[in-house]
Amino acid sequence: MTQIVRDPGFYEPNDEDDCSTFGYFCQTHDRHYRHETCGEGRHLIALHCQEHGPENMWPQPLMLVFPEGFDPPLSGTQLAWVLAEDEAVQDR
């Protein structure tokens, strides 16, 4: 399974969004993804917002291991968010 974190064609979420219904969508099989039940073979998964469609995912702290390893790279907003999350976790 490959998960798309960021794509230039996806919606870029911001702090004003009040989206509440999300799921994962398998672009390979063109259907919702639920634990590999969408079809055989490889899966290309994207976060899917009911309101905006495919959406860039807010980064996870583990992304700091290789922030330059993403193609396309993390946006400035995504990198700032993940850095703040990482600092918050370390301060606990």
Side-chain angles (χ1 to χ4, degrees):
M1 176 185 80
T2 300
Q3 188 167 359
I4 301 170
V5 175
R6 183 167 188 265
D7 184 282
F10 287 4
Y11 178 76
E12 182 71 47
N14 59 59
D15 290 335
E16 288 86 42
D17 289 335
D18 60 351
C19 307
S20 61
T21 307
F22 293 93
Y24 290 102
F25 190 84
C26 181
Q27 294 190 337
T28 303
H29 299 104
D30 197 30
R31 64 180 84 163
H32 290 281
Y33 176 83
R34 288 186 181 84
H35 307 288
E36 300 182 6
T37 61
C38 62
E40 296 293 322
R42 295 178 162 251
H43 303 278
L44 184 60
I45 309 303
L47 183 65
H48 193 272
C49 170
Q50 185 175 7
E51 182 178 343
H52 300 110
E55 186 167 295
N56 288 330
M57 180 179 286
W58 285 106
Q60 305 298 315
L62 286 176
M63 292 178 185
L64 286 175
V65 176
F66 303 106
E68 68 283 345
F70 290 91
D71 183 24
L74 296 177
S75 69
T77 302
Q78 287 177 312
L79 186 56
W81 187 88
V82 76
L83 287 169
E85 284 291 308
D86 188 54
E87 288 175 11
V89 169
Q90 289 178 4
D91 289 343
R92 287 184 195 169

